[in-house]
Amino acid sequence: DAGITQSPRHKVTETGTPVTLRCHQTENHRYMYWYRQDPGHGLRLIHYSYGVKDTDKGEVSDGYSVSRSKTEDFLLTLESATSSQTSVYFCAISESGPRGSEQYFGPGTRLTVT
Amino acid sequence: AQSVTQLGSHVSVSEGALVLLRCNYSSSVPPYLFWYVQYPNQGLQLLLKYTSAATLVKGINGFEAEFKKSETSFHLTKPSAHMSDAAEYFCAATSGGYQKVTFGTGTKLQVIP
């Protein structure tokens, strides 16, 4: 299995509080991604990174920010959590860009915003 | 923009029967296509991928998929379902200059003993 960990694995938080999710990899892969998974929507890309300090938005980036100061860590921050951000969040990595390149997924973080 | 459509959010088959999970994509340029599987409470893992080589792609666990450009399809098949195949399956695509993958909404496969 690819070395990807996510922390925390479960979190319950209140509306309006900031939340940071961490993705850590030991594979030295260049690309890292944050997705959210919701019933009926599959996986939707929130943000991705193509190198240290290089990030770009995905299709559902509103309300989320990311940072990547080291190759191995990719942080996802909800500045002010809302109930619509209750979801399961997956981090993924790939060695090169997603064209033809397999993505390896972490175990997920289940976030509940009350 | 790329889009991926999976027909049928739930599919049930009997153990030993053919598995057929459907995926159609929209793209004006040749895509790269993937099938991933997700077991309960786990992340996704790659089953197989098409990257413009052979149109019939073989993956892990006996699964295969055929790229049909004329039908813009990439359906996943397995000749004989096992109980262990029960999971959710996602089709995904990327194309052209995209550095992003678009996922379908997933198909949950139930295998009936």
Side-chain angles (χ1 to χ4, degrees):
Chain A
D1 291 342
I4 311 170
T5 57
Q6 293 184 231
S7 59
R9 294 292 314 280
H10 302 271
K11 186 171 182 65
V12 179
T13 192
E14 293 184 349
T15 298
T17 59
V19 177
T20 295
L21 308 182
R22 180 181 183 238
C23 178
H24 178 78
Q25 60 146 328
T26 58
E27 305 297 321
N28 201 36
H29 283 357
R30 178 182 175 191
Y31 286 79
M32 299 185 75
Y33 313 82
W34 276 108
Y35 293 92
R36 60 177 290 172
Q37 182 176 26
D38 304 287
H41 292 277
L43 272 77
R44 293 179 291 175
L45 182 66
I46 304 171
H47 283 279
Y48 71 101
S49 169
Y50 48 96
V52 174
K53 298 188 179 179
D54 292 323
T55 65
D56 201 355
K57 297 179 179 180
E59 60 181 301
V60 291
S61 59
D62 288 347
Y64 301 95
S65 62
V66 290
S67 66
R68 191 171 178 197
S69 58
K70 298 184 290 184
T71 298
E72 58 267 34
D73 290 326
F74 192 33
L75 304 181
L76 176 70
T77 298
L78 292 65
E79 300 291 346
S80 178
T82 68
S83 59
S84 64
Q85 293 176 312
T86 292
S87 186
V88 180
Y89 291 86
F90 286 99
C91 174
I93 65 174
S94 65
E95 191 167 7
S96 57
R99 284 184 293 168
S101 178
E102 174 181 0
Q103 293 190 15
Y104 300 92
F105 285 80
T109 294
R110 184 173 297 275
L111 176 68
T112 302
V113 183
T114 61
Chain B
Q2 178 68 269
S3 69
V4 176
T5 302
Q6 292 184 240
L7 294 177
S9 58
H10 291 80
V11 170
S12 294
V13 300
S14 297
E15 190 174 17
L18 172 72
V19 176
L20 170 61
L21 305 182
R22 300 177 186 274
C23 173
N24 289 88
Y25 65 92
S26 67
S27 176
S28 59
V29 297
Y32 292 87
L33 296 161
F34 308 82
W35 275 100
Y36 285 85
V37 61
Q38 184 181 31
Y39 298 102
N41 299 314
Q42 294 185 24
L44 281 69
Q45 54 185 279
L46 185 71
L47 272 179
L48 50 82
K49 66 181 181 182
Y50 166 77
T51 57
S52 75
T55 57
L56 182 63
V57 181
K58 295 187 182 298
I60 61 172
N61 301 336
F63 284 93
E64 62 182 35
E66 185 173 8
F67 172 69
K68 292 187 176 180
K69 183 178 179 180
S70 61
E71 299 178 6
T72 61
S73 68
F74 190 57
H75 301 332
L76 182 71
T77 60
K78 181 174 181 178
S80 177
H82 295 166
M83 295 299 296
S84 60
D85 294 328
E88 189 161 18
Y89 293 80
F90 291 91
C91 182
T94 187
S95 65
Y98 287 124
Q99 289 300 311
K100 307 169 191 175
V101 175
T102 300
F103 285 85
T105 53
T107 298
K108 285 189 177 177
L109 176 66
Q110 179 186 22
V111 182
I112 303 167

